[in-house]
Amino acid sequence: MEKCSSVMQGVVTDVDKKSDTRHGYYYIAYVIFEEAHDMSFETPSVRHEYTKGESVNIHYAPDDISDYYINSAEPTGQDVSLIFTLVFMMIVVSVTDIVRGKQYRKLCSGQNGSEG
């Protein structure tokens, strides 16, 4: 994204709406450059709902126009929240295992002490 320092205006010509049973809908927008309709671009699957005819900014690398991104086509916050949730769950599981391990060692050392 840092290399994409040039900007041109585009128009959304078509939108594909994809359904994900767990996360709702995703959209893929097909965009053309306003001044040269033979130049077309496509967004990745994103949560932003594009509409046909919508104007968007196409950011591209001056030395390679195939290196581009389109405004509102960034990954969603839902992806980030999923990562935080998974990390939190891993921490909880790790702490639980540590606590159970200490309790088990304490139980074992108590049983060994009573046998003597």
Side-chain angles (χ1 to χ4, degrees):
M1 292 177 91
E2 293 170 1
K3 294 187 279 183
C4 300
S5 59
S6 295
V7 180
M8 66 177 136
Q9 199 67 27
V11 177
V12 176
T13 58
D14 200 10
V15 179
D16 283 342
K17 183 177 180 180
K18 308 274 184 184
S19 177
D20 180 344
T21 55
R22 294 184 64 195
H23 301 108
Y25 293 103
Y26 289 90
Y27 303 89
I28 298 173
Y30 301 94
V31 178
I32 58 169
F33 176 43
E34 279 185 350
E35 296 177 21
H37 292 179
D38 61 332
M39 295 176 63
S40 60
F41 304 88
E42 181 179 321
T43 67
S45 293
V46 293
R47 305 270 303 164
H48 177 77
E49 184 175 354
Y50 291 94
T51 56
K52 193 172 180 177
E54 176 181 356
S55 290
V56 293
N57 288 330
I58 304 166
H59 300 264
Y60 63 97
D63 58 339
D64 182 9
I65 200 162
S66 67
D67 189 7
Y68 70 92
Y69 71 94
I70 298 172
N71 276 14
S72 300
E74 293 82 20
T76 63
Q78 185 172 1
D79 298 333
V80 174
S81 65
L82 177 63
I83 292 169
F84 282 123
T85 302
L86 291 174
V87 169
F88 178 74
M89 288 175 61
M90 289 172 47
I91 291 170
V92 169
V93 168
S94 298
V95 168
T96 303
D97 285 346
I98 291 169
V99 169
R100 284 186 179 170
K102 286 182 180 180
Q103 290 173 344
Y104 179 75
R105 285 191 295 277
K106 185 177 180 181
L107 179 65
C108 288
S109 66
Q111 288 178 350
N112 288 339
S114 64
E115 291 177 9

